[in-house]
Amino acid sequence: MDQDLKNLPLSEILDIEKLNNVDKPIEVANGLPNECYTNNDYLAYEREKVFFNKWTVIGVASSIPNPGDAKPHNLLGIPLLIVRDKDLKVRVFHNVCSHRGFKLLDKPCTIKNLIRCPYHSWSYDFDGKLVATPNIGGLNNHQSEKFDKIKSNLKEVKTKVWMDIIFVNINSNEIEFDEYIKPLENRWLKFINKADFESLVHSNDYGYFSLEVKCNWKFAIENYCESYHLPTIHPELNKVSNINDHYHIQGLPNRFAGQGSKKYEQPMKGNQKFNIFRNWDKTMLKNSEYIALFPNVMIGLHIDHLYVFWLEPLAMNKTKEHMQMYYVGNESANGEDLKELRKENSRFWKDVMLEDINAIEGMQEGRSSPVYNGGNFSPVMDQPTHQFHKWVANSLI
Ligand code: FES
Ligand SMILES: [Fe+2]
């Protein structure tokens, strides 16, 4: 984050009445006001209410596959440290030494045994426990009777890995994750169950790409929630799956929204295809679903692959998009035979996302207009987008 975040009351940043308008029935509602996309003081507020109070995504577990693998992550100015411990559990700590506050980890690495602070070498185990304080009592004196190590352990962040996605709840105040995710898990039981999660494998070759976009993170979610823009923004995609082949998804309680298609065709090369999920409902073989789980992750679920498209807000008008691709079993995810098909599939999604960038950056530009009141929704086509706006507005108030 490159700007100072001041904590002003929300009512000094924007007209609360405008936020109340968001929650009205879709026919008369307005979208979120411009300040939510342009005002840096607002960002301080959003960071607390929309990111730290919620289950927020900061990466995927397969990016740190081995014990000791660790990486730093900056969540809207908060330095975090993600590490896989010796029992293979992913843990997240605040990335700051308890001594003089040095940032512990600067770049991805594999830690052998202890998380050692580069400044005075205080060292922590993978539980975050402070275990070594070299020379704390003077040269070669590594203990001090006057110092109680226990109060200087690292501060751990409430963390849950689900479908390889790393969620954190910085303020530890959201409901338990298992309960939080239940509505979406239940919705998807007809496609995948917990046993199928185990068969998901991240692809090592064409399994990841990222894009930097010049717009607020919320535009990526809003755009993802609707299929209304298919004919204009994705003319090629629209030829195989048009607006009429899509349906809306509105998660209740309001935590996710999105759309589904009834015309998904598995990619093929010759007669080769990717493996499919074992428990997928046989009457819905061509269904695919695209769900945004608020605030910052979008999941695309298909019978033969899944992607996790998560957002890292960098500034009010700058966002990094991370795309992670998964297949069913290692043969599809990493086998040599299907490499070309993976390459094509990754290229396909990248092209779709590149097309979307025009749309979302255009919305950012438009938000500088003083006459724009947050806009009006199509009562038929914009329901999931409206749902996301309502979720943000309600999280703020
Ligand atoms: S600041 Fe980390 S050991 Fe001193
Ligand atoms: Fe799109």
Side-chain angles (χ1 to χ4, degrees):
M1 299 309 302
D2 35 19
Q3 58 275 111
D4 285 339
L5 298 178
K6 292 191 283 296
N7 268 312
L8 291 175
L10 191 58
S11 56
E12 284 184 28
I13 300 165
L14 50 79
D15 180 355
I16 299 290
E17 200 43 45
K18 287 185 185 170
L19 280 186
N20 291 331
N21 276 347
V22 175
D23 209 15
K24 291 184 175 158
I26 192 164
E27 297 78 8
V28 292
N30 291 123
L32 292 164
N34 288 353
E35 289 82 356
C36 299
Y37 302 86
T38 57
N39 186 317
N40 282 324
D41 293 329
Y42 165 81
L43 184 57
Y45 210 84
E46 182 177 82
R47 169 173 110 129
E48 200 62 30
K49 300 282 185 180
V50 172
F51 286 93
F52 298 171
N53 277 353
K54 308 288 178 181
W55 285 107
T56 293
V57 174
I58 59 164
V60 297
S62 52
S63 68
I64 46 165
N66 302 310
D69 285 353
K71 62 192 320 187
H73 181 78
N74 185 310
L75 178 59
L76 286 159
I78 300 262
L80 301 174
L81 181 167
I82 313 169
V83 61
R84 194 178 283 271
D85 73 13
K86 291 192 169 149
D87 301 321
L88 294 177
K89 186 174 170 211
V90 171
R91 310 182 76 142
V92 179
F93 296 99
H94 285 277
N95 189 4
V96 57
C97 180
S98 305
H99 178 220
R100 304 296 309 134
F102 196 87
K103 183 173 150 189
L104 290 166
L105 197 70
D106 202 30
K107 54 179 185 301
C109 63
T110 301
I111 299 167
K112 275 214 181 76
N113 285 310
L114 297 174
I115 304 166
R116 189 182 71 81
C117 176
Y119 198 1
H120 313 93
S121 278
W122 282 21
S123 299
Y124 306 84
D125 66 14
F126 290 149
D127 294 335
K129 199 165 131 204
L130 177 61
V131 289
T133 49
N135 303 317
I136 191 172
L139 186 63
N140 291 331
N141 191 350
H142 307 315
Q143 311 284 346
S144 165
E145 277 167 22
K146 294 185 190 144
F147 178 77
D148 181 7
K149 276 204 188 84
I150 288 181
K151 62 182 191 326
S152 293
N153 295 335
L154 294 184
K155 301 289 176 283
E156 189 160 5
V157 177
K158 199 168 174 189
T159 302
K160 177 76 187 188
V161 176
W162 178 78
M163 286 224 280
D164 202 48
I165 312 169
I166 306 170
F167 291 85
V168 291
N169 176 213
I170 298 286
N171 287 344
S172 298
N173 56 351
E174 184 50 283
I175 57 171
E176 290 303 315
F177 187 83
D178 291 352
E179 197 185 325
Y180 184 82
I181 204 67
K182 221 172 206 106
L184 180 55
E185 271 186 352
N186 287 344
R187 173 177 184 88
W188 275 353
L189 268 182
K190 55 188 179 287
F191 301 129
I192 53 170
N193 60 28
K194 282 250 165 80
D196 296 313
F197 287 10
E198 307 294 313
S199 67
L200 277 175
V201 181
H202 190 269
S203 162
N204 291 327
D205 44 20
Y206 297 102
Y208 174 72
F209 64 83
S210 65
L211 299 165
E212 210 165 289
V213 292
K214 293 193 283 293
C215 69
N216 187 268
W217 66 276
K218 292 190 286 300
F219 288 127
I221 301 282
E222 296 170 19
N223 174 66
Y224 191 79
C225 282
E226 47 105 337
S227 54
Y228 191 13
H229 66 275
L230 271 172
T232 42
I233 303 292
H234 308 296
E236 287 306 311
L237 191 56
N238 190 56
K239 282 182 197 157
V240 277
S241 175
N242 68 37
I243 289 181
N244 276 342
D245 303 320
H246 282 248
Y247 53 92
H248 294 149
I249 298 167
Q250 295 182 265
L252 288 174
N254 187 8
R255 260 163 229 171
F256 65 87
Q259 45 161 325
S261 163
K262 291 178 274 185
K263 281 273 186 76
Y264 175 67
E265 290 293 343
Q266 279 190 260
M268 270 182 92
K269 212 169 176 68
N271 53 6
Q272 283 185 314
K273 287 187 192 176
F274 297 120
N275 287 337
I276 60 171
F277 287 109
R278 255 177 321 174
N279 298 302
W280 198 277
D281 188 323
K282 297 291 175 281
T283 65
M284 303 177 94
L285 295 175
K286 288 187 188 282
N287 281 61
S288 56
E289 295 206 336
Y290 306 93
I291 279 180
L293 178 61
F294 311 145
N296 67 330
V297 64
M298 294 157 278
I299 306 171
L301 176 63
H302 314 79
I303 191 164
D304 62 348
H305 74 285
L306 176 142
Y307 66 73
V308 172
F309 181 39
W310 66 278
L311 303 173
E312 182 183 349
L314 298 175
M316 206 54 194
N317 55 1
K318 201 157 56 157
T319 302
K320 190 166 179 183
E321 301 182 332
H322 299 265
M323 179 73 163
Q324 309 278 355
M325 315 262 319
Y326 299 80
Y327 294 91
V328 185
N330 198 43
E331 191 193 332
S332 289
N334 291 306
E336 205 47 41
D337 291 356
L338 292 164
K339 191 170 181 165
E340 272 307 302
L341 204 53
R342 284 195 297 277
K343 185 179 178 184
E344 277 177 21
N345 197 35
S346 168
R347 185 71 235 177
F348 172 82
W349 285 117
K350 193 168 186 177
D351 287 344
V352 170
M353 278 148 197
L354 286 169
E355 288 172 347
D356 280 322
I357 288 180
N358 286 330
I360 61 181
E361 290 186 345
M363 286 193 280
Q364 182 71 47
E365 304 248 338
R367 283 288 186 159
S368 298
S369 169
V371 300
Y372 187 69
N373 63 355
N376 314 112
F377 298 101
S378 153
V380 176
M381 300 307 296
D382 285 329
Q383 286 155 357
T385 306
H386 180 222
Q387 186 163 336
F388 173 62
H389 278 236
K390 285 199 287 189
W391 181 84
V392 173
N394 287 322
S395 302
L396 294 170
I397 295 170

